[in-house]
Amino acid sequence: MNAKGDLIARAITLGLGTPVFEVTPQGPPHEPLFRVTVRVGGEVLGQGGEGRSKRDAERMAAESALKALDDPAPARADDPQPQVTGRWPIYSVVLEAALETAAEFANDDATLDDVRAQAARLYRGLLTELGHGPEAEE
């Protein structure tokens, strides 16, 4: 399992944007301790991670963030989009095609987040039509 890669793909698929891994090194150079916080859209996702290597700390933080996505908080009344619950499978070829299509048909003034959001809608729509979305698992 590549937790960091899975988290990045999942966040983009859900239209949340690209996760940012904030690394804070602590301790002496011969015995470092790394603490990692994952932010998506400026919000902390999960409990973070801690490890003797940056890679281990990022992996633990990504695993925590994936768990947080699997168990989302209740939707607020002022949320512009309903939260997606359940686990969406990641099919890299389909996701890549959705991203390419969204980029191809995006307006000239579209931001990267606009393209990502459209790609996520396309991806979810394709998976739902194929019966591979979370509601198909119920």
Side-chain angles (χ1 to χ4, degrees):
M1 177 171 142
N2 176 1
K4 187 174 177 181
D6 291 348
L7 174 62
I8 292 168
R10 183 104 174 269
I12 291 172
T13 300
L14 294 172
L16 302 174
T18 304
V20 175
F21 291 79
E22 298 174 350
V23 181
T24 306
Q26 297 178 334
H30 68 279
E31 198 174 323
L33 178 66
F34 296 90
R35 295 180 193 267
V36 176
T37 302
V38 177
R39 290 187 184 275
V40 178
E43 299 292 323
V44 174
L45 186 60
Q47 298 298 314
E50 186 177 290
R52 292 287 175 199
S53 73
K54 180 180 168 184
R55 183 178 182 173
D56 286 344
E58 286 179 338
R59 179 185 48 76
M60 292 175 68
E63 288 172 357
S64 175
L66 283 167
K67 287 179 186 174
L69 286 175
D70 286 341
D71 188 25
R76 298 184 323 251
D78 62 344
D79 277 348
Q81 297 180 358
Q83 290 189 341
V84 177
T85 59
R87 186 170 199 83
W88 285 83
I90 302 297
Y91 299 110
S92 60
V93 175
V94 178
L95 180 56
E96 180 182 3
L99 284 166
E100 288 175 359
T101 302
E104 182 178 331
F105 289 102
N107 294 330
D108 291 337
D109 61 343
T111 66
L112 183 56
D113 283 337
D114 293 337
V115 173
R116 288 179 182 150
Q118 181 60 25
R121 285 189 289 273
L122 289 169
Y123 186 75
R124 284 192 300 261
L126 287 168
L127 291 185
T128 300
E129 286 180 23
L130 295 171
H132 290 276
E135 57 277 346
E137 298 172 4
E138 294 177 3

